[in-house]
Amino acid sequence: MTAPVFTSQCLRFSFSSLRRLIPPMLAVLLTACGGGSDAPANYPIGGSVTGLSGGTLVLQVNDGETVSLSADGTFQFPSELPGGTAYVVSVQTQPNNPAQTCSVNRGSGTLNAAVTDIAVLCAPNAYRIGGTVSGLVGTGLVLQNNGGDDLTVAADGGFRFTQPVASGARYSITVKTQPSAPAQTCTVNDASALVTDRDIDNVTVQCSTDVHQIGGSVTGLTGKGLVLQNNAGDDLAVDTDGHFQFATPVASGAGYVVTVRTQPGEPSQTCSVDRATGTVADQDITDVKVQCATNAYRIGGTVSGLVGTGLVLQNNGGDDLVVNANGSFRFAQPVASGAAYAVTVRTQPGAQTCTVNQSSPIVAGADITDVRVLCTTTGYTVSGTVSGNTSGGLVLQVNNGETVTVPANGTRFQFLQPISDGAGYTVAVRTDPAGLACLVSHGSGTITHANVTNVQVSCSPRMHTVGGSISGYVIGPDNVRLALRLNDKTPVSFDEGGNWTFDSTPVAVGASYAVTVVSQPADQFCEVTHGSGIMGDANVTNVQVTCGPSTPHTIGGHIIGLTGNDANLVLQNNGGDDLATNADGSFAFPIKVDSGRPYKVTIKYQPRLQADACTVRYGTGTVTGDVGDIVIDCSGLRMSKRVAYVSNGNGSVTAHAVGTDDALTKLDPVAASGARLSMLVADPQRRFAYVASDVGINAYQINSTTGALTAVPAGPAPHPGVFQTLAMHPGGGFLYLIDWVKGDGSVTGTVSAFRIDRDTGGLMAIGLPIDLGVWPSSPVIDPTGRFLYIANTHSGSVSAFSIDESSGLLTSVSGSPFAVGFPNYLAITPNGRFLYVGGGPDLLSYAIDPASGALSEVVASVDLGGNSNITALTMDPAGDHIYVGLFEFRINKGVTCAITSTGGLGECQDFSTPYRISSFAVDPVHGFALLTHQSSYITPYAITRDGNGSVISVTPGPDYDNSVGAVYSTILGW
């Protein structure tokens, strides 16, 4: 690109210079020939510039020589031209700070004298100011620019002011008039800046409808429990007079309706609302009036035994009432709720004594009708106390004659008919209260010169048993018995079916009962019918327990909010049966659960170990059928940063921030100890990153804002080796190092385990190195964190280890190492179900046993390229495609293959690359990838999918400069 520019400049210089040199050369020739006295004279070309205020103006004459000006004044081109020469002065570069347009007057002609009158006039450019309005529902919004140029906006969308603003001048957008009907508040974003060289269209005006509080005042309130509502909701409890205000505001333009949901009691009151409805305008509603008045009730009862005349009753020392006959009575003046009343005898009837019995001294929320006035001639009364009377209907009787009914929760009673002195009395229960049995003590004796007051009536609940029958029940071979529980009592185990009763745990009449299965028999599922209810006044005998063979059922549900395919979520059921996933949608655990057995779904590993990123709803219960309603809500998961890390051949690591448009921004590289760096790995929380070299493990802290790396204070972990590679445990607590050869020089390698300090990122070796096959590499850990796989290239096998997730120590999987051909590279699906092995031109697929970690072949060897060699193997974070780098004697290409639900390989297609692929990192969020090929450039690729999610193209873009040789790359998100 540089060479053509240089050539053009040289040509332009040559022609221009030649044109200036020709007249002098001709003059010399003419002089030599005796004709020098006729040479034409040379003349200057110039003029003046006015109005220039925008930086540098460049003028040009005859498309050649230029002159630059930065202010008004005169100008003249450096070189004079011969007389008779045609000239044209033009603007080569317009000024741009501010942007201006300059025009040339009298700028052309033929030289016959000095030209000094060329006039260049410059004027600033002006541009329109505008943007977009959103959220506008009201009317009357008026915007201003620079305090004027009023613009009325009627609806959402674009807007533009009439008057343009000159380049270099400032614009300032403000709201002159806020919208109304409904009232709104609009704010302006990107409201002010300097105009440059184009129209302004990025101003945004965001409008939101104003909300206002609804309230008012309460007067006259003396009771308790007043509850107000607005628009049939937003309940507001009010305890005292004064101001009130609902919690939820109401939008301008919306209506409000204030009502009384619950009237106050203690004392009983009636509250009414004035100014209760309306439409919210542009201010709080504060004039709703709630007026409460205490209710008043009439006082009355019955008179019996009256045979004389002149009986006068009083209430509260007044409101005299004359009673002349037996029957009901009622005072004229009502008494306010909550106030006391006291009925007394002001005047006894002739030859009689009347006594008053009232059940309560305080008016509640109804008329008083149970005051009893008993008039007798001679004798004494019988009375006493009642306890435990929680339900109504208790009727007592004395001497098989007079009866008295005691209301629910009543504590005293008195028979009105007097009994003669010396006569006997016997108090008995004629009718028990509902669900209670009552006993009388001190209930019989002889009247001896005084009223009897010590009769005691004690009531307690009647109790009944719960029972039923068991059918189909057989004790299993492991002797696990059926156990039932009544309410919260101790469970009872059963040895056989048939009739049964909870004899030792009767239930009170009126109380609830519930029979549940707390232990299912082996290989059976027992279900209870008619097992709950309210105890009536008889034993329950119809509870049925039906047992039959148990059936295994699927446990699953749906995942929502799980974004970013590197956000690995691991679920467990009943503390095991690990299930890994990284995408929304339905899920089901591999192991089914028998009917009657409990299930409990928990989160083993949160995505990126982000606390509370996902929560479980409806995750526990007892299996009665397939469970499909469990919800894993990952709406708390956040992702705002993507960074590509490149391990370089010069022993450094370069970070490239990935923008929202997938553009890369290179950060300063960080040095590593040693050479032959491995691919960078990071803990799931993206706090620490690690790179292996030939001297050990380099540990770095990741800046969560920029993605930049800094070495941890502990420094590298020493571990000399050759072509060392790393694998990070998904729990973030362990790191595994694979050494290509052992330290004793043999061709077999080792795997070493390290514990990660979660606070500092430092490493501590755990256990001893474990021997592997020849030239081990490409370690991968299944997403559940239970198994580690390592390719033994020249041993033709894959070593498999189970991982103790508490200690990090490794144990060889039964059958390991597994013979797999000639493995160079391994890749595992995000759900941990399948392992892919690449070596030579062949790609193989293996199923992973979820219980043992053992491998079994799914797809026999697939030949991807004859004599090609696989140079890279990458699993798409979505788990539905795999990417392969191939090399065959100066021919390089990539291949992507679809992965079927059974682990097989679907359609494969080539994608072009001019380089030998050393790594192919796929972005976890966008259809974006980075290819490294051990040069100082890295190549971005766009991955395009169709509507069904299938990859239809993998297309390279322009190379990015990595400055040094890029060997391996990985892309992280957080």
Side-chain angles (χ1 to χ4, degrees):
M1 178 176 181
T2 305
V5 172
F6 175 77
T7 304
S8 175
Q9 291 173 344
C10 290
L11 290 174
R12 184 163 62 242
F13 171 78
S14 300
F15 292 144
S16 175
S17 301
L18 181 61
R19 185 168 55 193
R20 289 195 301 269
L21 292 174
I22 288 175
M25 293 171 62
L26 290 173
V28 172
L29 293 173
L30 291 173
T31 301
C33 296
S37 60
D38 294 330
N42 294 330
Y43 298 103
I45 300 175
S48 62
V49 175
T50 57
L52 177 59
S53 61
T56 302
L57 166 67
V58 180
L59 299 178
Q60 187 176 43
V61 60
N62 290 344
D63 294 330
E65 190 173 65
T66 62
V67 62
S68 299
L69 302 102
S70 59
D72 286 352
T74 60
F75 70 89
Q76 180 175 306
F77 289 94
S79 301
E80 296 180 351
L81 297 180
T85 300
Y87 67 91
V88 176
V89 176
S90 60
V91 176
Q92 185 190 63
T93 303
Q94 297 284 3
N96 62 359
N97 189 23
Q100 291 187 284
T101 299
C102 300
S103 57
V104 180
N105 297 317
R106 297 188 296 277
S108 61
T110 301
L111 282 175
N112 51 26
V115 176
T116 61
D117 64 344
I118 297 173
V120 180
L121 178 61
C122 299
N125 300 337
Y127 299 95
R128 300 287 295 277
I129 310 300
T132 57
V133 174
S134 61
L136 178 61
V137 294
T139 60
L141 171 63
V142 179
L143 303 178
Q144 283 191 328
N145 181 26
N146 292 332
D149 194 14
D150 288 12
L151 176 63
T152 300
V153 180
D156 283 352
F159 70 89
R160 178 178 285 182
F161 287 95
T162 303
Q163 298 298 325
V165 177
S167 175
R170 179 171 292 276
Y171 66 89
S172 179
I173 310 302
T174 55
V175 177
K176 178 180 181 181
T177 306
Q178 296 285 3
S180 60
Q184 291 191 283
T185 298
C186 300
T187 56
V188 184
N189 300 312
D190 300 318
S192 178
L194 293 176
V195 177
T196 57
D197 58 354
R198 66 193 63 189
D199 289 343
I200 302 299
D201 60 4
N202 66 334
V203 179
T204 59
V205 180
Q206 178 64 48
C207 300
S208 60
T209 302
D210 298 340
V211 296
H212 297 284
Q213 300 291 335
I214 308 299
S217 61
V218 176
T219 57
L221 178 61
T222 58
K224 302 177 181 178
L226 171 62
V227 179
L228 303 178
Q229 283 191 326
N230 181 31
N231 291 333
D234 196 17
D235 289 11
L236 176 64
V238 181
D239 296 323
T240 59
D241 282 353
H243 177 72
F244 72 90
Q245 181 174 288
F246 288 97
T248 303
V250 176
S252 175
Y256 63 92
V257 178
V258 179
T259 55
V260 176
R261 178 180 183 180
T262 305
Q263 296 286 1
E266 299 183 38
S268 172
Q269 292 190 285
T270 299
C271 300
S272 58
V273 185
D274 187 26
R275 302 175 186 169
T277 65
T279 300
V280 177
D282 58 355
Q283 59 187 1
D284 291 348
I285 302 299
T286 60
D287 63 346
V288 178
K289 306 294 182 183
V290 179
Q291 178 66 47
C292 300
T294 302
N295 301 328
Y297 299 95
R298 302 287 293 275
I299 310 299
T302 58
V303 174
S304 62
L306 179 61
V307 293
T309 59
L311 173 62
V312 179
L313 303 178
Q314 283 189 327
N315 181 30
N316 292 334
D319 196 16
D320 289 9
L321 176 64
V322 176
V323 180
N324 294 318
N326 290 328
S328 63
F329 70 89
R330 186 161 66 173
F331 288 97
Q333 298 297 325
V335 177
S337 174
Y341 70 94
V343 177
T344 57
V345 176
R346 177 179 183 182
T347 304
Q348 295 284 359
Q352 286 191 297
T353 299
C354 298
T355 58
V356 179
N357 182 23
Q358 63 182 59
S359 61
S360 173
I362 303 296
V363 175
D367 289 344
I368 303 298
T369 61
D370 64 347
V371 178
R372 292 185 297 163
V373 180
L374 174 62
C375 300
T376 61
T377 53
T378 58
Y380 297 93
T381 60
V382 176
S383 63
T385 60
V386 178
S387 63
N389 180 25
T390 57
S391 61
L394 172 61
V395 179
L396 302 176
Q397 190 174 42
V398 62
N399 293 337
N400 293 320
E402 182 185 1
T403 61
V404 61
T405 301
V406 183
N409 300 311
T411 59
R412 294 195 61 81
F413 71 91
Q414 179 179 311
F415 294 101
L416 297 180
Q417 296 293 340
I419 299 175
S420 300
D421 192 18
Y425 66 91
T426 300
V427 176
V429 176
R430 180 174 180 178
T431 306
D432 279 317
L436 301 177
C438 299
L439 299 175
V440 179
S441 59
H442 309 297
S444 62
T446 301
I447 300 295
T448 307
H449 313 305
N451 293 330
V452 175
T453 60
N454 66 338
V455 181
Q456 296 178 355
V457 181
S458 300
C459 302
S460 60
R462 281 196 298 276
M463 309 291 286
H464 295 289
T465 60
V466 176
S469 63
I470 301 173
S471 62
Y473 167 46
V474 178
I475 297 179
D478 56 1
N479 212 30
V480 177
R481 288 170 167 77
L482 167 67
L484 303 178
R485 188 202 306 271
L486 174 61
N487 294 338
D488 59 351
K489 305 302 181 183
T490 302
V492 176
S493 296
F494 294 86
D495 294 328
E496 59 185 1
N499 295 328
W500 55 273
T501 302
F502 288 113
D503 291 318
S504 62
T505 53
V507 178
V509 173
S512 61
Y513 65 91
V515 178
T516 55
V517 177
V518 294
S519 176
Q520 296 280 1
D523 301 325
Q524 286 191 293
F525 173 63
C526 299
E527 188 173 13
V528 178
T529 56
H530 309 300
S532 61
I534 303 298
M535 179 60 72
D537 206 356
N539 292 335
V540 174
T541 61
N542 66 335
V543 178
Q544 296 178 359
V545 180
T546 305
C547 300
S550 61
T551 303
H553 293 282
T554 299
I555 308 300
H558 288 80
I559 301 172
I560 58 176
L562 186 57
T563 58
N565 287 325
D566 70 334
N568 188 56
L569 168 68
V570 180
L571 304 175
Q572 286 188 326
N573 182 29
N574 293 330
D577 195 15
D578 291 8
L579 173 65
T581 183
N582 64 355
D584 283 353
S586 61
F587 71 92
F589 285 94
I591 300 176
K592 296 184 177 181
V593 180
D594 284 343
S595 301
R597 306 297 180 188
Y599 64 91
K600 183 178 182 181
V601 176
T602 55
I603 296 174
K604 178 180 179 181
Y605 294 134
Q606 291 277 9
R608 306 189 198 99
L609 300 187
Q610 179 182 316
D612 300 326
C614 303
T615 57
V616 181
R617 299 201 302 266
Y618 320 119
T620 61
T622 300
V623 175
T624 58
D626 287 347
V627 176
D629 61 347
I630 300 171
V631 177
I632 312 298
D633 186 349
C634 296
S635 56
L637 182 63
R638 302 174 299 277
M639 182 172 182
S640 59
K641 191 71 177 178
R642 294 181 295 145
V643 180
Y645 295 95
V646 180
S647 300
N648 300 315
N650 70 343
S652 67
V653 180
T654 303
H656 298 265
V658 184
T660 56
D661 57 353
D662 296 334
L664 300 183
T665 301
K666 184 168 64 177
L667 308 179
D668 290 337
V670 60
S673 297
R676 295 177 177 174
L677 302 187
S678 72
M679 184 178 296
L680 177 142
V681 298
D683 72 317
Q685 292 176 295
R686 309 303 192 241
R687 297 179 59 208
F688 303 107
Y690 302 89
V691 175
S693 70
D694 56 3
V695 299
I697 305 174
N698 296 273
Y700 303 97
Q701 290 179 328
I702 302 176
N703 186 304
S704 61
T705 302
T706 65
L709 302 177
T710 55
V712 301
H719 194 286
V722 178
F723 294 121
Q724 302 191 106
T725 51
L726 298 174
M728 172 66 66
H729 191 274
F734 306 107
L735 185 69
Y736 298 92
L737 172 71
I738 286 73
D739 189 351
W740 213 37
V741 295
K742 289 196 295 187
D744 60 7
S746 60
V747 294
T748 58
T750 60
V751 55
S752 302
F754 295 84
R755 184 184 301 278
I756 298 174
D757 187 315
R758 305 299 288 274
D759 295 322
T760 66
L763 299 175
M764 181 182 70
I766 52 177
L768 297 174
I770 299 174
D771 287 346
L772 300 171
V774 179
W775 293 0
S777 63
S778 192
V780 294
I781 298 178
D782 86 294
T784 68
R786 295 181 299 147
F787 305 112
L788 167 65
Y789 299 94
I790 303 167
N792 299 307
T793 301
H794 279 267
S795 294
S797 65
V798 170
S799 294
F801 298 91
S802 62
I803 302 173
D804 186 313
E805 296 184 73
S806 60
S807 66
L809 296 177
L810 303 177
T811 303
S812 182
V813 168
S814 178
S816 175
F818 297 93
V820 295
F822 190 75
N824 271 331
Y825 302 94
L826 302 181
I828 197 167
T829 54
N831 61 12
R833 294 179 57 196
F834 302 106
L835 179 74
Y836 293 86
V837 180
D842 299 325
L843 183 62
L844 303 91
S845 171
Y846 291 85
I848 298 174
D849 186 296
S852 67
L855 301 178
S856 59
E857 188 175 78
V858 174
V859 177
S861 174
V862 176
D863 189 336
L864 295 178
N867 296 320
S868 298
N869 285 307
I870 294 177
T871 62
L873 188 67
T874 301
M875 177 63 61
D876 193 291
D880 56 359
H881 286 78
I882 193 167
Y883 303 89
V884 186
L886 292 174
F887 168 75
E888 180 182 359
F889 189 64
R890 299 182 181 178
I891 298 176
N892 302 284
K893 70 175 181 177
V895 177
T896 178
C897 297
I899 296 175
T900 68
S901 61
T902 59
L905 296 178
E907 180 181 355
C908 297
Q909 59 176 305
D910 295 350
F911 62 89
S912 64
T913 171
Y915 313 106
R916 178 175 178 175
I917 301 175
S918 59
S919 72
F920 191 78
V922 181
D923 179 66
V925 179
H926 294 170
F928 172 72
L930 282 180
L931 182 148
T932 60
H933 39 81
Q934 302 192 28
S935 77
S936 61
Y937 292 92
I938 53 179
T939 305
Y941 277 75
I943 300 174
T944 305
R945 294 175 179 260
D946 62 17
N948 297 320
S950 298
V951 173
I952 58 176
S953 67
V954 182
T955 309
D959 288 345
Y960 281 100
D961 186 2
N962 189 60
S963 301
V964 294
V967 182
Y968 301 113
S969 65
T970 185
I971 303 175
L972 301 179
W974 64 87

